[in-house]
Amino acid sequence: MYAVAEVIAENCVAQKGCRLCIMYCPEADTIVLDQSNPEKKLAKVIESRCKGCELCVVVCNAARHNAIVMVQR
């Protein structure tokens, strides 16, 4: 069992321009901007690429968005 990042859609403010988790993730193309719903752009974690480092959680919480949590898979 291991931990991966998961975005809490209700808290994600990517549609307002926040891209902190995407910018700070050390693994390229792990967190992307999901544009499947043009009215509500959200950060999306590609779980198969996530290494569980929690850096996205740290930067999201520092910005007081609290939109990413680590979950056990």
Side-chain angles (χ1 to χ4, degrees):
M1 196 181 291
Y2 57 95
V4 295
E6 183 175 276
V7 176
I8 301 169
E10 298 82 35
N11 296 351
C12 183
V13 293
Q15 77 276 6
K16 294 181 181 178
C18 182
R19 306 289 192 275
L20 290 173
C21 58
I22 295 169
M23 291 187 311
Y24 282 93
C25 181
E27 186 68 27
D29 300 322
T30 298
I31 305 176
V32 297
L33 190 60
D34 183 5
Q35 297 184 16
S36 60
N37 181 353
E39 296 174 10
K40 179 92 172 151
K41 295 178 186 173
L42 297 173
K44 177 181 177 182
V45 177
I46 308 303
E47 288 189 14
S48 62
R49 298 190 55 79
C50 182
K51 306 292 189 223
C53 72
E54 298 186 38
L55 190 54
C56 56
V57 176
V58 171
V59 297
C60 188
N61 289 351
R64 299 178 185 249
H65 302 259
N66 302 312
I68 303 178
V69 295
M70 299 304 289
V71 295
Q72 298 295 318
R73 293 283 192 245

